[in-house]
Amino acid sequence: MNQEQAEQPEERAAYSAAVGTLDEGRAWIGKSAPPETGAVAVDAGMIAIFCASLQDGNPRYWPAENAAETGESPPALLFTWTMSLPWSPGKPVREGPLCVRVPLPGNVAANVKQGAEFYRPIRVGDRLTMVETLTGISDEKATALGTGHFVTTRAEFRNQTGDLVGAMTNTLFRYRSEDGAR
Amino acid sequence: MTVPPLTPAPGQSLPVVTIEITNTPVAMGTTATLDVFPGHYDAEYARSVGHRTVFMNTMPLLGLLDRAVTDWTGAAGFVHRHSIVMRRPTYAGTTVHVSGEVVGVKEVEGPTSWTSGLHVDVDLKIENSDGLCAEGNVTVVLSDR
């Protein structure tokens, strides 16, 4: 390892949670992240793997060969189309979504709820961009997994022509893993 | 295969979707969604943070709700809205059943052509031998789109 490599801080994995106090976290409420465009365009291969994992044969997602129209993405993949890759050449790893980036005591995350609305199909080849806002952080709660806070975020998704494709709300639990009851 | 036209009405039960959730679909689902959180593919990590083993991530769970509804409607159904609450992790090594019931049907003029038509609201549950893993709701639109 050369000097430059030794001095670089260990890169935090995209899923790692940023640790801080509840007050530090609550200062983020109402803030929006800069727009984030997906690392990959809506992709037929990822759609096929996703559908295969669920054995979902919906013809919308499995276009016939030589079909005039490109296939559609399952709506469940909405967030994926704005995510980053864990590595790409020459670019720093993008930090994870706001719910793990916001400083809070919880060093581990478990997702709790998600809801989304869709206004048009997501098509193979589309490039989606998301704008996320942190909308709430609960008081401390104890659950079977551990003690922590529920973090709620909202995001809007647009395609490459600026059309609003959908909107999503997500609640994720940030907890301390040492407290975890088995 | 010809499918009879759907006449949805509140109280109807959807055909139950059953699927074996092994490490393989859990890993495929986490990779295809770029959700690289190790709780979904690394059992040792999952156990270290309070879990029994690897568990399905949110997006494939939503995908299961959508599948139960669109298996029933066929490709004509456009998923306009969906939501899920995870009650407990959906662990690998279980057989999962997705059941649904129609709770509302109404004609709606939506903001786009895909969202205009017959809106069918369905409440759904995802269950396995551990109990209720998740519950949710899907609004599917039947129209000419």
Side-chain angles (χ1 to χ4, degrees):
Chain A
M1 191 188 326
N2 63 24
Q3 182 70 9
E4 200 179 80
Q5 285 171 318
E7 281 168 353
Q8 264 180 13
E10 193 184 310
E11 277 180 6
R12 213 175 72 220
Y15 63 82
S16 295
V19 177
T21 66
L22 176 60
D23 283 343
E24 284 171 344
R26 283 198 162 141
W28 286 43
I29 294 173
K31 294 205 184 344
S32 296
E36 292 177 7
T37 301
V40 298
V42 177
D43 181 82
M46 287 159 74
I47 289 167
I49 297 169
F50 181 83
C51 291
S53 79
L54 299 177
Q55 298 174 26
D56 187 343
N58 186 338
R60 284 184 185 254
Y61 317 143
W62 299 88
E65 279 182 28
N66 306 317
E69 273 200 340
T70 58
E72 289 175 27
S73 166
L77 285 170
L78 178 66
F79 192 67
T80 294
W81 306 128
T82 59
M83 283 169 74
S84 60
L85 291 166
W87 179 91
S88 51
K91 285 194 248 185
V93 175
R94 199 172 82 198
E95 292 182 282
L98 274 176
C99 52
V100 293
R101 225 151 72 219
V102 60
L104 280 171
N107 58 331
V108 186
N111 214 25
V112 177
K113 43 179 170 168
Q114 188 171 108
E117 278 201 350
F118 304 89
Y119 309 111
R120 62 189 68 248
I122 303 163
R123 295 201 185 284
V124 168
D126 282 351
R127 182 74 70 155
L128 299 195
T129 299
M130 147 182 91
V131 175
E132 284 201 276
T133 305
L134 186 71
T135 56
I137 298 174
S138 76
D139 293 333
E140 191 182 77
K141 305 269 194 259
T143 74
L145 276 178
T147 300
H149 302 84
F150 293 96
V151 181
T152 303
T153 50
R154 187 179 153 76
E156 287 199 342
F157 298 77
R158 293 182 183 274
N159 64 20
Q160 64 280 6
T161 55
D163 298 317
L164 185 64
V165 167
M168 185 183 93
T169 303
N170 192 82
T171 301
L172 175 130
F173 185 52
R174 290 272 305 269
Y175 66 101
R176 301 287 318 167
S177 68
E178 307 90 74
D179 297 347
R182 303 248 168 179
Chain B
M1 181 178 93
T2 50
V3 178
L6 206 61
T7 46
Q12 283 173 345
S13 290
L14 273 56
V16 173
V17 167
T18 296
I19 181 167
E20 282 296 315
I21 296 300
T22 65
N23 285 343
T24 301
V26 175
M28 287 170 75
T30 200
T31 308
T33 57
L34 290 179
D35 188 356
V36 293
F37 175 62
H40 304 308
Y41 62 81
D42 182 341
E44 195 179 310
Y45 172 85
R47 284 189 286 272
S48 78
V49 293
H51 293 289
R52 183 167 87 217
T53 185
V54 296
F55 52 99
M56 285 177 73
N57 59 316
T58 304
M59 289 184 263
L61 287 167
L62 277 166
L64 272 184
L65 299 186
D66 293 341
R67 181 195 150 186
V69 172
T70 57
D71 276 7
W72 177 61
T73 63
F78 174 78
V79 173
H80 170 43
R81 198 180 288 124
H82 63 197
S83 63
I84 193 166
V85 179
M86 274 75 73
R87 297 289 178 201
R88 53 171 308 121
T90 304
Y91 288 123
T94 65
T95 304
V96 164
H97 305 279
V98 190
S99 58
E101 183 181 313
V102 179
V103 294
V105 178
K106 60 179 189 254
E107 279 287 338
V108 176
E109 202 49 45
T112 63
S113 57
W114 296 276
T115 56
S116 299
L118 193 70
H119 282 219
V120 183
D121 287 331
V122 185
D123 278 352
L124 298 126
K125 293 191 209 278
I126 297 176
E127 295 170 290
N128 61 14
S129 52
D130 292 326
L132 178 69
C133 292
E135 48 196 331
N137 178 276
V138 172
T139 300
V140 63
V141 180
L142 297 171
S143 68
D144 293 331
R145 295 308 302 264

